[in-house]
Amino acid sequence: MQRNNRFSSVLGRSAWPPALLTLSLALIAGLTASSLNLQARDNPPDRIPSYVAWTPETIAAASGGDAFRGMLLAKRCDHCHGAEGFSPIASTPNLAGMDKLATWKQLEDFRTRKRLSRVMEPIATSLSSRDVADVVAYYAALPVLPDPQDNRTFPQSQADPGHAAIASRLISFGDGERGIPPCQACHGPVAYRTGVPSLATQNAAYVLNQLEAFANRARTNDINMPMRTITALLTEGERQAIADYYGSGLGLQPASSTAPK
Amino acid sequence: MNWPKLRTFLLTVLVLCLIPATRYYQIDVPLLRFLRGSHHVDPLSLHLSGEFVENNLGTEQEPDGSVIVRMIAQQYLFIPHCVLVPAGVAVHLRITSADAVHSLTFNGTDYAVKVLPGTISEAQLQFPRPGEYKMPCREFCGAGHYAMRSELKVVPRDQFPALRPEERGNCAAQ
Ligand SMILES: [Cu+2]
């Protein structure tokens, strides 16, 4: 204590390390508290659309199924979804050729009651996670393009040309004025986003049901709300036109090739 | 001032300058992240927990009259699609991306906010005049980019409805 340190008169040298420690702890506590402050308000409970997040692990789990085993499991689905993945009932979705991730997510959401369906919930709940991966691998492997050998039930309807023009414009270009992105940028065939179901071979009645369900929030399992947002911007007539367009098989080519000049 | 002291001083200044630099260049230093409160979010699980769950998006009123607006940018939409704010108050924007790089701009103003996946972009905005502003994305982000545009509604302060926490995404003025 010989050196006449400026501080040693206030605090003994031995008091320094604990004092510094306390000071830095207080600083850290203060900074974390101030950053937490933004979140810690009297917020209502989080509304979670779906427990699925497209992490690499989820994608690996959803796409690693065994299609052969899936074929055996799919016997249970045949009488509603059709033996070739094309459903005879217009309000039941076709599953043939559907992206594995898309069908996997829907089954997961049925099971966790994030998508409500009295029919599909018990079925999805009865499948193990391995079964789900296998059955979606089977449906993904079924052919989409028409084959004269089979007796599929698609397309079930014919689109009215006036309707088809409205639909193909929305599907290929969307509507920049209203901020509606083109459907085919997410749903294909131009580009697919992760976990987005293809619509090209989907039944009209089912497509319309789902568009309506998103619009009136009966279906809320779209992650980050793209479909709830888009369907709310579409008119009733536009939703009908789009459903007819897909339901009549026109969606198999990119819509711009059928769009009016 | 002698050289060793000067050297220590300069070194300290340099180190202090590096701290904001890590933020500017998006360098991830775990200790600093902890100290300043995280600006990092997982773009794949925004919907599961934290600040960007869907019912927290939109406009939150602060006791001092200013507002916080939280948004998500994704290919090819900004969510919420329509945002309501009062005129002439400080608007504190917090936005992140779920996928690609986007840029939120406000037609008729100079504001442009770059939005990156994995980090929260913040901006202090103010809209003195009531009106409707289109908010297009100005960073090419893919096939539907040109239709990626939302709307901002600025209403006079006295017409701004008192929003309950579950009404943050509500875009209808009184
Ligand atoms: Cu964009």
Side-chain angles (χ1 to χ4, degrees), chain B residues 56-126:
Chain B
N56 206 33
L57 301 176
T59 312
E60 176 183 354
Q61 278 159 305
E62 294 284 274
D64 65 359
S66 69
V67 295
I68 301 178
V69 172
R70 293 192 185 80
M71 295 177 81
I72 290 181
Q74 63 179 314
Q75 290 161 322
Y76 304 100
L77 295 156
F78 292 107
I79 306 288
H81 199 264
C82 173
V83 175
L84 185 71
V85 298
V89 309
V91 175
H92 181 70
L93 176 73
R94 292 173 68 79
I95 181 168
T96 188
S97 166
D99 39 50
V101 179
H102 302 273
S103 169
L104 176 65
T105 61
F106 301 79
N107 281 357
T109 75
D110 296 336
Y111 295 135
V113 182
K114 190 128 176 155
V115 192
L116 304 150
T119 145
I120 302 171
S121 302
E122 283 185 281
Q124 293 291 346
L125 315 173
Q126 195 155 17

Side-chain angles (χ1 to χ4, degrees), chain B residues 101-102 137 139 141 145 148:
Chain B
V101 179
H102 302 273
C137 176
E139 176 85 37
C141 58
H145 162 71
M148 181 166 174

